[in-house]
Amino acid sequence: MFQELDPILHSQLRLAIMSLLISVKEAEFTFIKEKTNATAGNLSVQVQKLKEVGYIEVIKEFKDNYPNTTCKITKQGIAAFEDYVKALQQYLQMGQK
Amino acid sequence: MDNNNPDFDPQQSLQLIESMINRAKDKFAEGGFMYLLWGWAVFFLSLTQFVLLHFFQYTYHYIVWMFCWVIVIYQLVHMRKKYRKQKVRTYTDYIIGYIWLTFVVLIFLLGFLIGRLTSGEYYTHIVPIVLALYGMPIFLTGIIMRFKPLIIGGIGCWLLCVITTFIINYDYQFLMIPLAMLIAWIIPGYLLRAKYKSQ
């Protein structure tokens, strides 16, 4: 029986954000934007979606008098990411058979 | 990067995960500043202490280490600036930061403990113990960063620590500290700087 791929993570940009955040402790919005080549508007919407489902934590603060957003993956996000990768492996194993 | 792509299949998902993880991989965020600052400072301070002790028999030769407070303040200002510029904090940064914090705590604890536990003759033990301790953060940072000069530097400190115990005239033990600074902090510091600039 196939495990269904998490629709939240099975989207290019959201998966890219999660893959970046799983590798670091925390990253600023500008770093994620630079690495994913996404537009600020689109990235902002996807970050908000990931935050709403509890996969990431978004910290808004001021840095040198400018607003600054930092993102961090949550425990729930790590678990969801791991499940997603497991489901992917299942799909790929089936494809090889 | 598109958000919703109907043709986004599991194979592409895996490729995307791999490529993003590679992009986030640690670059050398450390330009060797801390190693060079402390390496040169301790190098000159320990030489000064040796001169005061050996040539002038000055009783308060250890007073030179009070200058470290100035360097600590300078470093804190530098770290604050660096932290504010950083766009990403990796687990490597985080762990290395705590290794150095542990080292600073241990150095202070050691100063306190040796004074408390050894009666009077503490100065005859301090150099080998300090050298043993110097090796720890250098070695671990080298392992985490996969940077051989630091690993060699850390092991070098431990070898010097053993050699020091064979130096009977303890005045000369103080010369092992500048030597340790050269092999464990200053040379790796310049190599780190070169690597940082070339990336």
Side-chain angles (χ1 to χ4, degrees), chain B residues 95-162:
Chain B
I95 296 165
I96 291 177
Y98 274 98
I99 287 176
W100 284 94
L101 181 70
T102 310
F103 168 71
V104 171
V105 171
L106 282 178
I107 279 282
F108 277 100
L109 265 181
L110 187 76
F112 171 75
L113 284 178
I114 286 194
R116 289 277 297 165
L117 301 177
T118 56
S119 49
E121 302 238 314
Y122 71 92
Y123 44 80
T124 56
H125 312 303
I126 202 151
V127 175
I129 296 174
V130 160
L131 284 177
L133 204 57
Y134 274 165
M136 182 270 290
I138 302 279
F139 180 79
L140 290 178
T141 307
I143 292 284
I144 293 169
M145 287 168 66
R146 295 182 212 96
F147 190 59
K148 263 191 189 156
L150 284 175
I151 299 174
I152 296 167
I155 296 170
C157 277
W158 292 330
L159 288 176
L160 284 177
C161 129
V162 175

Side-chain angles (χ1 to χ4, degrees), chain B residues 2-39:
Chain B
D2 287 337
N3 179 34
N4 288 311
N5 182 346
D7 301 326
F8 186 50
D9 64 32
Q11 187 66 45
Q12 286 172 317
S13 285
L14 266 188
Q15 281 167 355
L16 176 65
I17 292 170
E18 194 188 342
S19 93
M20 292 323 283
I21 288 176
N22 278 334
R23 281 186 208 185
K25 257 188 191 165
D26 296 336
K27 275 190 160 191
F28 269 74
E30 174 59 59
F33 171 81
M34 192 189 74
Y35 301 92
L36 292 174
L37 174 72
W38 280 101

